[in-house]
Amino acid sequence: MSAPSSEVLYCGRLPRGRSGRTLLVRHLPAELTAAEKEDLLRHFGASSVRVLSDYGRLKHTAFATFPSDSAAAQALSRLHQLTLLGHTLVVEYAKDQDSAPALSQSSQSEKDKSLEEPVKEEKEKKALNCLKIESGIAPSHGLTFPINSCLKYLYPPPSSAILANIANALASVPKFYVQVLHLMNKMNLPSPFGPITPRPPMV
């Protein structure tokens, strides 16, 4: 006859160094909150429950301490291999629970803080990409209107007046002129350094 399973013993003898009143309950359903996991174990007679973090080696695990060795043994026999929300619980006598990370209020706040930091960084990154030039794009050339690069516009179709204004802006702002040349080159458009091309019809 084979020996009992490694860690879980249903007879009175416990592995050396194990507490007879504290059980380690593994594979608790992730759908349950920490409070619900605690209520579940208290329903089976636990006098105190320590729910561990949802991250790391001991995730979805809790320590449950019972009033007596017999109460712990009875809870072990009822909980071990119990199927709950599609998860099969594994229960054994606890050891070294002090080294396990509990889901305390501080750890929960640190978890929330770590989740908030990427959102904060994303907002800061967007703010850097949306710098406003309050004094205007080229005040020395009379272009004093403020600009916000994050705004989205619905542009009208080209007209003679619009094209003339764009040509004036190209002549007034050298950086704009260079960027337009870069864009034309990137889009494989014909080089503007030559005779005037025929004007296309307005749409």
Side-chain angles (χ1 to χ4, degrees):
M1 182 175 178
S2 59
S5 168
S6 58
E7 297 293 339
V8 182
L9 299 182
Y10 293 94
C11 58
R13 295 167 55 190
L14 304 178
R16 182 175 297 178
R18 303 272 166 140
S19 169
R21 297 191 304 113
T22 302
L23 301 179
L24 177 63
V25 184
R26 302 177 184 269
H27 306 316
L28 289 164
E31 295 85 353
L32 299 181
T33 65
E36 289 171 336
K37 293 173 183 177
E38 181 176 349
D39 289 341
L40 170 69
L41 296 175
R42 287 187 180 276
H43 174 75
F44 283 88
S47 56
S48 66
V49 178
R50 185 176 180 219
V51 180
L52 305 187
S53 170
D54 288 336
Y55 300 90
R57 183 174 59 88
L58 292 177
K59 63 182 180 180
H60 311 314
T61 302
F63 287 102
T65 302
F66 294 82
S68 64
D69 291 358
S70 59
Q74 183 179 4
L76 187 150
S77 64
R78 295 173 63 193
L79 285 169
H80 184 60
Q81 299 298 310
L82 175 68
T83 300
L84 185 64
L85 296 178
H87 300 265
T88 302
L89 303 184
V90 175
V91 185
E92 58 189 86
Y93 287 102
K95 179 182 179 182
D96 299 332
Q97 65 165 307
D98 292 337
S99 62
L103 186 60
S104 60
Q105 186 67 29
S106 60
S107 64
Q108 183 67 24
S109 61
E110 289 175 1
K111 173 185 169 185
D112 294 340
K113 183 178 178 181
S114 65
L115 292 176
E116 291 174 358
E117 286 177 353
V119 177
K120 183 179 179 182
E121 291 177 359
E122 185 67 22
K123 288 183 178 179
E124 292 176 351
K125 189 181 295 184
K126 286 184 179 179
L128 291 175
N129 293 333
C130 302
L131 294 176
K132 295 181 180 180
I133 307 176
E134 300 294 345
S135 59
I137 188 170
S140 60
H141 297 283
L143 303 176
T144 56
F145 52 86
I147 187 171
N148 183 347
S149 61
C150 290
L151 293 179
K152 294 182 179 180
Y153 301 95
L154 180 62
Y155 297 109
S159 65
S160 298
I162 291 175
L163 294 176
N165 290 334
I166 292 176
N168 292 336
L170 285 169
S172 301
V173 186
K175 289 184 177 180
F176 179 36
Y177 169 73
V178 172
Q179 289 300 318
V180 170
L181 293 178
H182 287 330
L183 182 59
M184 293 181 68
N185 184 35
K186 188 173 183 180
M187 297 178 66
N188 294 321
L189 296 175
S191 171
F193 311 121
I196 298 178
T197 57
R199 184 171 183 175
M202 295 293 178
V203 178

